[in-house]
Amino acid sequence: MIIESLYVLAAAGILFIPAHAATGHGTAGVVNTICKDVAIIGGGASGSYSAVRLREDFGVSVVVIEKDVTLGGHVNTWVDPATGRGFDAGVQNYIDLGGAKAFFTRMGIATQPNVRSVLDTVYVDFTTGARLTNYTPPSAADRSDALRRFLAAAEQYLPILEPGWWSFPEPSQIPTDLLLPFRDFIAKYNLTSAVPQIFSTTGFGMHDLMGSLTVWLMRSFNVNLDRLLLGLDTSFVPASRKNQDLYDAILKLLGSDVLLSSTVIGAERSDQDGVVLEVRSSATGDTTRIVAKKLLFTAAPSDANTAPFELDTLEKSVLHKFEYSASYVGVVSHPSLPLNTSLVNTPSAVQPTNWAAAIPAYPYNTRFENYPNSSYYRVIATGDQTFTEEQAKAVITGSFDKMVAAGTLTQTTPPQPLEFHSFTPHCLVSAYVSRKALKCGFIQSLNGLQGRRSTWYTGAAWSVHVSTNLWNFTDTLLPRLVASL
Ligand SMILES: Cc1cc2nc3c(=O)[nH]c(=O)nc-3n(C[C@H](O)[C@H](O)[C@H](O)COP(=O)(O)OP(=O)(O)OC[C@H]3O[C@@H](n4cnc5c(N)ncnc54)[C@H](O)[C@@H]3O)c2cc1C
Ligand SMILES: *[C@@H]1O[C@H](CO)[C@@H](O)[C@H](O)[C@H]1NC(C)=O
Ligand SMILES: *[C@@H]1O[C@H](CO)[C@@H](O)[C@H](O)[C@H]1NC(C)=O
Ligand SMILES: *[C@@H]1O[C@H](CO)[C@@H](O)[C@H](O)[C@H]1NC(C)=O
Ligand SMILES: *[C@@H]1O[C@H](CO)[C@@H](O)[C@H](O)[C@H]1NC(C)=O
């Protein structure tokens, strides 16, 4: 086999593969060949973590292929050029779980306990821009009671949900609760007074929280997040208050083992012969050939991200079943936005105490949330997987304009537009499949892809969508990958 002999020769340092050595796929511009044990697609939370652990702890050589200009995926730290202060628009804090804090220490990043800032909350229906005048949020005691009921129910399912899907039962054994739309689970366990809190914590990442199956809700709002809200778990932040610092430190450590601004444009994968990738840098236009024993795919396994990998029929039949939400985060400012305040998008139907109605219809902007001691605001917009960046910006500016039109905010004279300091796509998030797919053994099929065609998977589609839980899951995957080398 061409691929195998290439690998063996190149791995032994015997072969420099010249620009036109053939493995198919437009090789014309290939300037460089890299031979590694594992090629990692995506350098976000799971890809960066995997790279460090594989190289430093397992002694496995790696290369990370990241399409963005930095590592870190969803962290999205914006640094105010005037002051140097960081504003985290994506990831806010890290649950103190497993080896997470030790990982920061290991990367030289000092941490401190996360202190939740207390803001004035103003409830506004963003579809009309009108402030709610007759709304009473759940009392703290009622909310905690409901969160405790959620915890008791969710803890029963922990062994089959975390870490990852390894112990998920056969279709006929899936607990009924997990297949209930979340609104029915809420009714069953009397969780209504926790609905606004669940939505504002992570529920906003699912474009249809109430209609989502409970199994998917528990991948987004899990036992640890619930315990965090109840004060039973703790979370931490980098002392610098810049989540990007962790990933910059990882980049420094990994050095030339990371290819930034790079995507795969062609791939060959097989069970016996490993992987050959053609990788294009959007910065230089150069193409690099990567010859690796295994692929670790950590980006969302969406149709677009998997297209260059030429999925076979079985892979398509599984991965193409995933549907997603799309979410966008940004940092904005406007002199009319009130300081020390979070303007929270809340449908007027919630009044006076109809908390189950607290979820806006998608696409929505979740809130304008003031960063303490600053004039900047965090915005988060979510829709289904067709929701584009342009539409997301329009939803955010639209909600601001409605508040001005309704008199909730006073526009400046002359009027000024809402200013965006950063705006970052997070699409795609919250991977899910239908109840029917689950009943037809989707999870077993998904697990069946692990290791097939020399390809392993981690990332949010495979675990709880929380960085630290994802690392915890990744810790269970890496030994399997290494054993297959
Ligand atoms: C708004 C928001 C807030 C969050 N807040 C928190 C929080 O406070 N605490 C917490 O623990 N978790 C939080 N999370 C969850 C956490 O960010 C995710 O669970 C985690 O980032 C998922 O990691 P991942 O590796 O799967 O994906 P990502 O971190 O998104 O990384 C994927 C990487 O792959 C790259 N990529 C995508 N496609 C390709 C391609 N085709 N080729 C090459 N590279 C590609 C991307 O650029 C990205 O760098 C938040 C998520 C969101 C959306
Ligand atoms: C911000 O609002 C909170 C909640 O109302 C209040 O406790 C706090 O004192 C306010 N802080 C400032 C600086 O105004
Ligand atoms: C449901 O929860 C609310 C508040 O958490 C509580 O006041 C009420 O008694 C509960 N109802 C039942 C039937 O348990
Ligand atoms: C905001 O300022 C107050 C008062 O100076 C200070 O106590 C608080 O720590 C600051 N918060 C942040 C997040 O900077
Ligand atoms: C994952 O986290 C749990 C604690 O929530 C811990 O018991 C378990 O050992 C962790 N698993 C790994 C592989 O770190």
Side-chain angles (χ1 to χ4, degrees), residues 18-362:
H20 296 282
T23 54
H25 307 293
T27 51
V30 175
V31 294
N32 188 16
T33 297
I34 298 175
C35 293
K36 298 289 182 184
D37 293 320
V38 182
I40 300 174
I41 307 303
S46 60
S48 301
Y49 180 80
S50 298
V52 171
R53 292 228 51 218
L54 282 172
R55 202 184 80 174
E56 305 292 308
D57 299 338
F58 292 93
V60 163
S61 64
V62 298
V63 58
V64 179
I65 298 133
E66 166 55 54
K67 76 170 180 191
D68 209 341
V69 297
T70 54
L71 294 180
H74 288 173
V75 298
N76 301 134
T77 304
W78 176 70
V79 178
D80 183 353
T83 61
R85 179 173 160 190
F87 295 89
D88 286 311
V91 174
Q92 299 294 293
N93 55 70
Y94 294 87
I95 301 176
D96 192 355
L97 170 78
K101 204 188 262 179
F103 184 66
F104 276 75
T105 305
R106 175 183 189 180
M107 291 300 118
I109 305 297
T111 60
Q112 64 185 39
N114 180 43
V115 180
R116 279 179 78 88
S117 48
V118 184
L119 299 173
D120 272 330
T121 304
V122 174
Y123 301 94
V124 179
D125 186 332
F126 284 4
T127 63
T128 62
R131 186 175 175 150
L132 305 191
T133 52
N134 186 27
Y135 175 49
T136 308
S139 72
D142 281 353
R143 188 186 62 210
S144 295
D145 282 350
L147 289 172
R148 270 189 283 273
R149 286 191 290 273
F150 178 91
L151 186 61
E155 269 175 342
Q156 304 171 68
Y157 306 121
L158 201 50
I160 61 172
L161 291 178
E162 297 186 38
W165 296 115
W166 304 118
S167 308
F168 198 73
E170 293 300 317
S172 64
Q173 307 295 316
I174 301 173
T176 320
D177 274 356
L178 297 183
L179 298 177
L180 292 176
F182 189 49
R183 70 166 63 78
D184 295 351
F185 186 83
I186 288 169
K188 178 170 173 184
Y189 290 98
N190 186 23
L191 305 178
T192 311
S193 33
V195 168
Q197 176 80 71
I198 291 172
F199 180 69
S200 75
T201 305
T202 53
F204 59 76
M206 313 175 81
H207 68 275
D208 179 17
L209 175 68
M210 296 307 246
S212 296
L213 302 185
T214 300
V215 64
W216 302 121
L217 178 279
M218 287 181 180
R219 293 230 95 37
S220 168
F221 185 82
N222 75 335
V223 161
N224 294 113
L225 277 162
D226 192 276
R227 290 175 54 86
L228 188 62
L229 294 176
L230 286 167
L232 302 171
D233 277 350
T234 58
S235 69
F236 63 89
V237 292
S240 65
R241 304 308 313 260
K242 291 176 189 152
N243 283 320
Q244 184 62 40
D245 284 358
L246 175 70
Y247 294 94
D248 288 349
I250 293 175
L251 179 62
K252 198 165 164 211
L253 174 73
L254 294 176
S256 60
D257 288 339
V258 178
L259 305 180
L260 294 175
S261 306
S262 296
T263 48
V264 171
I265 55 169
E268 293 178 15
R269 294 177 294 135
S270 73
D271 283 320
Q272 301 80 24
D273 295 328
V275 178
V276 180
L277 307 175
E278 305 258 328
V279 175
R280 165 81 43 85
S281 160
S282 63
T284 61
D286 289 343
T287 302
T288 300
R289 176 174 300 118
I290 293 174
V291 183
K293 291 181 189 160
K294 300 291 169 187
L295 185 71
L296 177 59
F297 198 96
T298 78
S302 63
D303 295 4
N305 285 342
T306 56
F309 294 87
E310 293 178 28
L311 301 186
D312 67 16
T313 311
L314 179 69
E315 290 168 332
K316 277 186 192 159
S317 74
V318 182
L319 297 177
H320 284 187
K321 283 206 175 67
F322 272 129
E323 297 174 74
Y324 300 85
S325 304
S327 99
Y328 300 81
V329 296
V331 177
V332 303
S333 65
H334 193 284
S336 299
L337 290 168
L339 295 176
N340 194 38
T341 300
S342 186
L343 300 167
V344 178
N345 185 3
T346 311
S348 59
V350 80
Q351 298 177 108
T353 56
N354 182 18
W355 301 308
I359 318 296
Y362 70 87

Side-chain angles (χ1 to χ4, degrees), residues 427-445:
C427 44
L428 302 158
V429 295
S430 307
Y432 65 99
V433 301
S434 67
R435 179 206 309 249
K436 176 165 169 278
L438 289 168
K439 287 275 205 190
C440 291
F442 175 82
I443 300 299
Q444 286 68 29
S445 305

